[in-house]
Amino acid sequence: MGRKISFRKAEFERDVDMIHTWMMEDHVHPFWNLNMPLNKFREHLRKALNDDHHTLYIGCLDDVPMSYWEAYWVKWDVLEKMYNAVPHDQGVHLLIGDKEFLGKGYSLPLLREMVRFQFQDERTEKVMAEPDIRNEKMIHVFKRCGFEPIESIELPDKTGLLMKCERGEFEKRWTP
């Protein structure tokens, strides 16, 4: 790819306006449903940053912020009841925020690096995802990364496609 991928933890004051702008984008809000006034979004983000079951990240290319990530423990998420979850399963949510970075093949390398990061916890054997069933582009990226579709699930805010990426499959696919 020829670009440096990095992730940093999201910080409220530093990132709230940028993330809010991304949530308002036409390619984002149909799938995230967080296109709300800034004052309401500020409350949402503050609550999310204080939730111990997940960590929010800003994904960067060559140190330029361009994506938003949520890495979370399935154990304390609504997803826990949707399949036979085990204690150290992790989940991932993502969006490419800045339109300048769309359609350039960045989603797969970014997702691969985030999943690789999640598998650094030796207890984690599965990373789960549940992209909106309508989001065919992201479902395709998840499959290319090594995620296997399981079934459609009804979540409070969407119909998602439950997908899993098992450590062995991921390592087989991405270890040189």
Side-chain angles (χ1 to χ4, degrees), residues 1 5 7 69 94 96 104-116 137-138 140-147 170 173-174:
M1 186 174 80
I5 295 172
F7 299 95
W69 300 77
L94 71 127
I96 304 298
K104 297 187 176 166
Y106 297 137
S107 296
L108 177 59
L110 284 158
L111 178 60
R112 183 178 60 230
E113 292 309 309
M114 177 55 73
V115 173
R116 187 184 321 274
K137 289 179 182 178
M138 280 313 306
H140 176 72
V141 170
F142 277 109
K143 286 178 180 177
R144 287 189 57 214
C145 188
F147 283 77
F170 182 83
R173 186 176 294 227
W174 298 112

Side-chain angles (χ1 to χ4, degrees), residues 31-137:
F31 306 115
W32 281 74
N33 300 311
L34 291 173
N35 54 326
M36 57 184 66
L38 180 58
N39 62 337
K40 189 172 178 184
F41 182 77
R42 289 175 69 85
E43 291 173 29
H44 169 83
L45 185 62
R46 192 176 306 279
K47 181 178 176 188
L49 284 166
N50 289 324
D51 185 340
D52 290 338
H53 98 277
H54 67 263
T55 305
L56 312 182
Y57 295 95
I58 301 298
C60 302
L61 286 179
D62 298 331
D63 299 319
V64 175
M66 47 73 69
S67 58
Y68 171 76
W69 300 77
E70 296 176 350
Y72 63 94
W73 296 104
V74 172
K75 183 74 176 151
W76 294 281
D77 191 80
V78 65
L79 194 58
E80 175 183 26
K81 296 176 179 27
M82 301 292 171
Y83 75 102
N84 190 19
V86 297
H88 295 100
D89 287 355
Q90 291 190 55
V92 63
H93 298 137
L94 71 127
L95 65 86
I96 304 298
D98 190 325
K99 288 187 286 193
E100 172 188 332
F101 294 93
L102 292 177
K104 297 187 176 166
Y106 297 137
S107 296
L108 177 59
L110 284 158
L111 178 60
R112 183 178 60 230
E113 292 309 309
M114 177 55 73
V115 173
R116 187 184 321 274
F117 172 73
Q118 290 178 287
F119 280 136
Q120 286 180 1
D121 186 316
E122 294 178 2
R123 303 168 300 175
T124 298
E125 291 297 323
K126 277 194 302 280
V127 175
M128 304 299 292
E130 79 291 336
D132 190 296
I133 199 83
R134 302 167 297 158
N135 197 342
E136 294 174 9
K137 289 179 182 178

